[in-house]
């Protein structure tokens, strides 16, 4: 559940200009130049359309999509930061990217108390219904993979194929206590994935990247936290508790859709054991691709390689996509 690394440059003292805000505007312009436009979709509670239970911020193609591909981000910054490198290659390959902010990230929020991945899945599905897209492919990275997996299980008639990028959906709560992860409990995981101080950001970046920046100035990190990570801290922490507390592999449904599993070989957040566990769980309906010299932030460290595998998978005939021929 990585965030993009800060610039590797020496700096001391207080940053006068906001690098994070400038970078955020730059990513938004890349989306606009790629032909996407932002929407804020209010989702009503019950029968009263005037009472919005949630609002989903989502980037959609300017023209009606013919080959829609839903991209779900992980923890960290908003969706634009994590998916910007993928837009032009996907569009050039004939896909129409649809990129929402998950609830409590970017411009998406809710007044309801539900923090489950099922709620996130239902909310994004309602947003897809609202923009008139009944069927689509799905790519989820890390936490976005948890939501995407749940979405595919809940709405198999809508989700045609699934690509999971370093999404440890097969983890169990007991794995933390047994030492599979670099944290020993949900509280420590929340402190890692929802950083509030520069030293916590440094730890996260060094844990998720194989080659993290050597220098990460505190002023840039404080700026990032202020601009991108200072809102909905409590709600994001609650998302993690809801995701992990009581989690058991025996209750995880098996997807019926062809599934691509992409993993960074040196992932220290969700170790390779979880990739193999998921591949076994799907019983031949999945394919595992292991990318070398990459960690949990494989989508940011190796975007060209990840994108190439995603494009090939979604372009394959259905019979080929369902074959479990792993690649290492």
């Amino acid at each position: 559940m990585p965030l993009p690394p800060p610039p590797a440059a020496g700096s001391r003292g207080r940053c006068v200009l906001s690098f994070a805000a400038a970078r955020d505007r730059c990513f938004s312009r890349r989306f606009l130049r790629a032909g996407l436009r932002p929407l804020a979709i209010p989702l009503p509670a019950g029968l009263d359309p005037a009472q919005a239970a949630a609002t989903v911020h989502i980037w959609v193609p300017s023209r009606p999509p013919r080959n829609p591909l839903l991209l779900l981000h992980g923890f960290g910054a908003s969706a634009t930061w994590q998916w910007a490198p993928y837009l032009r290659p996907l569009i050039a390959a004939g896909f129409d990217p649809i990129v929402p902010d998950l609830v409590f990230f970017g411009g998406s929020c809710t007044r309801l108390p539900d923090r489950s991945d099922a709620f996130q899945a239902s909310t994004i599905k309602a947003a897809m219904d609202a923009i008139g897209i009944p069927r689509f492919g799905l790519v989820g990275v890390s936490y976005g993979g948890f939501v995407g997996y749940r979405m595919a299980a809940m709405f198999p008639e809508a989700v045609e194929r699934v690509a999971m990028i370093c999404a440890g959906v097969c983890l169990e709560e007991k794995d933390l206590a047994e030492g599979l992860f670099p944290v020993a409990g949900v509280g420590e995981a929340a402190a890692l994935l929802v950083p509030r101080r520069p030293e916590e950001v440094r730890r996260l970046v060094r844990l998720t990247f194989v080659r993290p920046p050597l220098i990460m100035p505190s002023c840039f990190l404080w700026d990032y936290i202020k601009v991108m990570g200072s809102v909905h801290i409590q709600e994001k922490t609650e998302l993690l508790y809801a995701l992990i507390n009581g989690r058991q592999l025996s209750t995880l449904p098996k997807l019926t859709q062809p599934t691509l599993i992409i993993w960074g070989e040196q992932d220290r957040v969700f170790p390779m054991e979880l990739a193999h566990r998921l591949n076994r769980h799907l019983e031949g309906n999945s394919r595992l691709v292991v990318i070398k010299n990459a960690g949990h932030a494989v989508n940011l460290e190796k975007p060209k390689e990840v994108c190439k595998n995603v494009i090939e998978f979604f372009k394959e005939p259905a019979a080929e996509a369902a074959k479990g021929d792993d690649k290492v």
Side-chain angles (χ1 to χ4, degrees), residues 13 33 44 50 105 178 265 309 313:
R33 287 197 298 268
F105 297 87
E178 293 176 355
E265 186 180 38
N309 280 282
F313 172 71

Side-chain angles (χ1 to χ4, degrees), residues 76-96:
S78 62
T80 54
W81 287 56
Q82 299 186 35
W83 291 116
Y86 292 77
L87 296 181
R88 291 201 176 278
L90 289 174
I91 292 170
F95 296 99
D96 296 298

Side-chain angles (χ1 to χ4, degrees), residues 257-261 278-288 321-326:
Q257 301 94 329
T259 302
L260 174 66
I261 305 167
L278 177 57
N279 206 23
R280 292 192 299 267
H281 183 72
L282 293 177
E283 298 179 337
N285 196 37
S286 60
R287 177 190 315 162
L288 173 61
K323 289 183 179 179
D325 299 324
D326 299 345

Side-chain angles (χ1 to χ4, degrees), residues 66-265:
R66 291 175 292 181
N67 195 6
L69 190 61
L70 178 64
L71 307 180
L72 299 180
H73 65 84
F75 262 67
S78 62
T80 54
W81 287 56
Q82 299 186 35
W83 291 116
Y86 292 77
L87 296 181
R88 291 201 176 278
L90 289 174
I91 292 170
F95 296 99
D96 296 298
I98 299 167
V99 190
D101 287 323
L102 296 175
V103 176
F104 297 124
F105 297 87
S108 298
C109 61
T110 184
R111 60 180 177 83
L112 299 179
D114 196 337
R115 301 291 182 260
S116 66
D117 54 351
F119 175 76
Q120 290 271 17
S122 297
T123 301
I124 299 301
K125 176 61 166 59
M128 297 294 281
D129 291 341
I131 59 177
I133 301 179
R135 289 182 62 79
F136 47 89
L138 187 153
V139 184
V141 57
S142 197
Y143 177 68
F146 283 79
V147 176
Y149 192 98
R150 186 65 60 185
M151 197 171 178
M154 293 170 64
F155 309 106
E157 74 288 350
V159 181
E160 297 176 324
R161 300 187 194 185
V162 182
M164 307 282 289
I165 303 173
C166 288
V169 295
C170 283
L171 74 84
E172 299 186 281
E173 184 180 7
K174 66 178 183 179
D175 290 329
L176 278 74
E178 293 176 355
L180 183 62
F181 305 108
V183 295
V186 184
E188 192 179 345
L192 174 67
L193 296 170
V194 190
R196 306 185 189 196
R197 295 184 295 274
E199 57 268 26
E200 294 171 346
V201 178
R202 291 188 187 96
R203 183 189 177 201
L204 179 59
V205 171
R206 287 167 179 156
L207 193 65
T208 54
F209 286 79
V210 170
R211 294 183 178 87
L214 296 177
I215 300 173
M216 291 180 267
S218 290
C219 75
F220 282 109
L221 300 182
W222 277 121
D223 177 52
Y224 172 85
I225 293 168
K226 179 181 177 181
V227 174
M228 302 303 300
S230 62
V231 296
H232 300 308
I233 291 175
Q234 179 59 35
E235 290 86 352
K236 290 174 182 175
T237 301
E238 292 168 0
L239 292 177
L240 289 171
Y241 274 92
L243 194 70
I244 298 173
N245 275 348
R247 193 176 187 93
Q248 295 180 316
L249 180 59
S250 60
T251 63
L252 186 72
K254 290 180 170 63
L255 298 186
T256 58
Q257 301 94 329
T259 302
L260 174 66
I261 305 167
I262 299 177
W263 225 268
E265 186 180 38

